[in-house]
Amino acid sequence: CISPRRIFREIKKFEKEEVANKSTYWVIFELIWRDYFKFVCLKFGDRVFYRTGIRGIDQDWSQDMKQFKCWAEGKTGVPFVDANMRELKETGWMSNRGRQNVASFLIKDLGLDWRLGAEWFESYLLDHDVCSNYGNWNYAAGIGNDPRENRKFNMIKQGMDYDADGQYVRAWVPELRGVHGGKVHVPWTLGTRDLEAAQLDLGTTYPKPMVMAPEWGRHTQKSNKKPGYREPPKGQKGIDFYFKSDRGGGGGSSGGRYQGGGGGPQRGGKKSAPRGGRVQY
């Protein structure tokens, strides 16, 4: 087990001897968040485990175990969610970006009790930290340290922003490997010819979406762009809690508030997408 103090010292040594860049910055940034959630738990104690969270807010969350099982096994019919959940189950790891998205989907789209997700993460994450995990699930559920309520991630937009070519989804959801480009994020929009070409039978070889959020429709057309296409950077509604996205990397690897998603230092001063951001919608 490597202590956070040693990680901090090694990063500072690396920055002095090699290079200081966004990658090194965000690893330290996430260490600070780790400490922050330690203090949150010291202040609020076991309230972080309560249904009502540290703010004492109760909501009508469901305990539908059939829906939860679909989420946990990566069979929701929403490719970006399913890919992340399958990676977690098979490897014990998930990117910060993925953790934010699957948490939002469970709470905001399915309306399930946030504690189900927190306990699942606790069971599977190799980098699990009690304070970081439960503090972040409180945050995602709107009962933790966040003054802005009802924030929700748009699964399609997030998938297109962070896995525009669909390579990450195809890596973890083999049923969709015959679907090319960004269309893999919205297989329910494919025509009969494309479905046949991909050997895909929705509802049989791959599930239909459990839910269809109305805001997804605003971004489904982006899936028709050619592989490698990126929209030019521009402002997004509800973003910039700490920084604006650089529109980086597939696989949802750009970070968030969940522990364990930061990338390691990179040599040669090469630019990389910042880890640790909190881009919404």
Side-chain angles (χ1 to χ4, degrees), residues 3-165:
S3 74
R5 290 184 178 181
R6 180 175 178 183
I7 294 173
F8 177 80
R9 289 197 302 269
E10 291 295 328
I11 291 175
K12 285 300 181 182
K13 179 181 177 182
F14 181 90
E15 288 182 329
K16 183 178 181 180
E17 296 178 355
E18 300 289 342
V19 64
N21 56 20
K22 290 181 180 180
S23 183
T24 60
Y25 172 86
W26 286 115
V27 174
I28 293 176
F29 183 87
E30 290 300 332
L31 289 177
I32 296 171
W33 269 109
R34 178 185 180 276
D35 287 349
Y36 173 75
F37 280 122
K38 297 291 185 186
F39 287 115
V40 168
C41 288
L42 282 172
K43 178 177 181 179
F44 294 101
D46 62 0
R47 283 168 58 184
V48 73
F49 303 115
Y50 293 2
R51 173 187 171 99
T52 54
I54 64 176
R55 295 175 63 193
I57 300 174
D58 198 10
Q59 297 186 34
D60 188 25
W61 285 302
S62 168
Q63 290 266 351
D64 187 324
M65 298 310 294
K66 183 178 180 181
Q67 285 193 328
F68 173 73
K69 184 178 180 181
C70 291
W71 176 84
E73 294 183 351
K75 297 180 180 179
T76 68
V78 183
F80 194 56
V81 174
D82 292 345
N84 278 286
M85 294 306 298
R86 295 185 192 189
E87 180 183 18
L88 172 64
K89 195 170 184 178
E90 293 186 32
T91 69
W93 189 85
M94 186 193 298
S95 72
N96 277 346
R97 179 59 47 185
R99 299 181 199 198
Q100 293 180 82
N101 275 276
V102 301
S104 177
F105 184 79
L106 179 130
I107 297 166
K108 304 295 186 178
D109 289 304
L110 298 182
L112 296 180
D113 190 330
W114 66 271
R115 294 172 298 176
L116 296 173
E119 291 170 4
W120 189 259
F121 273 23
E122 183 173 6
S123 298
Y124 276 88
L125 284 172
L126 295 175
D127 64 349
H128 179 261
D129 176 272
V130 174
C131 298
S132 293
N133 185 44
Y134 282 87
N136 274 303
W137 276 94
N138 269 235
Y139 163 83
I143 54 176
N145 302 88
D146 189 358
R148 294 181 291 178
E149 298 180 358
N150 299 320
R151 294 201 292 175
K152 180 184 180 185
F153 282 76
N154 183 318
M155 297 300 110
I156 308 307
K157 185 180 188 306
Q158 289 282 302
M160 293 305 302
D161 280 354
Y162 294 97
D163 183 35
D165 298 341

Side-chain angles (χ1 to χ4, degrees), residues 192-205:
T192 302
R193 182 177 298 178
D194 288 335
L195 289 170
E196 291 177 350
Q199 297 182 329
L200 180 62
D201 184 5
L202 291 178
T204 303
T205 58

